[in-house]
Amino acid sequence: MIEKTLHSDVIYREVQQFRQIWLWIILLPVSLLVAILFSYGMFQQLVLGVPWGDRPMSDIGLAIFGPLILLIVIGLPVLFYTAKLITVVDPEGIHIRYFSFLRRTVPFENLKNYRVYTYNAIFEHAGWGIHWHKNGWAYTVRGNRGVELELASGEILLIGSQQPETLVQAIDTGTKNYKARKAV
């Protein structure tokens, strides 16, 4: 757990968030526009009694699904704003937390190989975020660089990083310390 590791000997810690200006230039106006249009349509149909669109949903359906759709449209920017990828290397291993979705730890004993990796987020992983691919998972937030971990099980993990060389150095330090402790 990352909370536990913050009180131990942290070798490396990186926090990444969705702060790309282009994302917010697209996301905020689109979310706002959809919320306004949908609210207007709900008001038109449910309050004024004028059907909304050529094939309107029933009033009951609109009363049920309308607020859910608005919650999603308004919640999406909030989700992107609060989401963050936290990567921590400590004496136990590599801890990945994609707030608020997952927590994962890769103990050094399960690590077979690792390297700095340059990827194409759009073509290899269909964008940024948490993505499954045929050999494992990718955890990314921005950019096109990270560290690819090959686990003893054969699974491949990609951790996006703004400092992949530093992350690899931290993993080097952690694995050396782990092997030294194991040898004693």
Side-chain angles (χ1 to χ4, degrees):
M1 294 275 165
I2 290 178
E3 285 78 11
K4 182 191 115 211
T5 64
L6 292 179
H7 301 291
S8 65
D9 300 322
V10 173
I11 301 167
Y12 174 86
R13 184 173 194 269
E14 180 178 8
V15 178
Q16 298 177 75
Q17 294 180 280
F18 289 97
R19 296 296 187 259
Q20 300 90 318
I21 191 73
W22 63 266
L23 173 70
W24 296 102
I25 288 172
I26 294 169
L27 189 61
L28 288 176
V30 169
S31 294
L32 186 61
L33 181 64
V34 170
I36 289 169
L37 289 174
F38 210 83
S39 296
Y40 172 76
M42 286 176 51
F43 177 79
Q44 176 182 322
Q45 183 168 324
L46 297 176
V47 177
L48 301 179
V50 179
W52 181 38
D54 295 337
R55 296 176 46 190
M57 183 183 285
S58 71
D59 287 355
I60 293 172
L62 191 57
I64 292 170
F65 290 107
L68 291 174
I69 291 170
L70 285 174
L71 184 63
I72 291 168
V73 168
I74 293 168
L76 195 60
V78 172
L79 178 68
F80 272 95
Y81 188 78
T82 59
K84 60 178 88 174
L85 173 61
I86 304 171
T87 307
V88 174
V89 178
D90 72 5
E92 305 303 315
I94 305 158
H95 306 274
I96 305 160
R97 180 174 182 199
Y98 213 120
F99 179 80
S100 62
F101 305 105
L102 80 99
R103 296 170 190 244
R104 182 164 185 181
T105 296
V106 178
F108 291 121
E109 63 194 33
N110 295 350
L111 193 58
K112 183 178 178 183
N113 200 1
Y114 52 93
R115 66 183 176 121
V116 172
Y117 184 72
T118 301
Y119 59 91
N120 184 313
I122 302 300
F123 293 114
E124 290 181 50
H125 306 289
W128 295 269
I130 302 170
H131 295 279
W132 181 82
H133 54 88
K134 66 179 180 174
N135 296 322
W137 290 91
Y139 309 110
T140 60
V141 169
R142 59 189 309 182
N144 67 342
R145 301 185 73 220
V147 175
E148 185 180 75
L149 308 175
E150 181 183 358
L151 306 185
S153 66
E155 182 180 11
I156 303 292
L157 296 181
L158 173 63
I159 305 170
S161 176
Q162 300 305 296
Q163 306 167 8
E165 292 83 7
T166 307
L167 177 52
V168 163
Q169 289 173 351
I171 296 170
D172 284 340
T173 300
T175 54
K176 287 175 188 171
N177 292 345
Y178 170 77
K179 288 176 183 176
R181 283 193 325 268
K182 189 176 173 185
V184 172

